[in-house]
Amino acid sequence: MITYLAWLIVLVSAVGFVLTVIAGRKQREGRFDQNTNATTAKHPFLANPIVIAYVVFPVLAVVAALMLWFYV
């Protein structure tokens, strides 16, 4: 059961990440934020906390699921 939940978390996170990247690329064509930090302007994906959350959350969720599976 936990394995299915882990795969579901990975799937939902991957779909969300792909949709975020697509939206970010579309946004690159226009200028929406006037007060953007220089680092964020140079690296729109690496300096974006939402993208970082899409990477960190599934990793932590899978680690937590594995810990529950091994220790419970």
Side-chain angles (χ1 to χ4, degrees), residues 7-21 54-55 58:
W7 281 111
L8 182 64
I9 289 170
V10 169
L11 178 68
V12 168
S13 298
V15 169
F17 180 74
V18 168
L19 291 175
T20 301
V21 169
Y54 273 124
V55 173

Side-chain angles (χ1 to χ4, degrees), residues 24-41:
R25 288 189 180 172
K26 285 183 182 177
Q27 195 174 34
R28 211 183 268 183
E29 296 169 1
R31 184 151 189 182
F32 296 101
D33 296 330
Q34 299 298 328
N35 300 345
T36 305
N37 189 356
T39 304
T40 306

Side-chain angles (χ1 to χ4, degrees), residues 50-67:
I50 301 299
V51 174
I52 294 170
Y54 273 124
V55 173
V56 172
F57 174 73
V59 171
L60 291 178
V62 169
V63 168
L66 289 174
M67 288 175 62

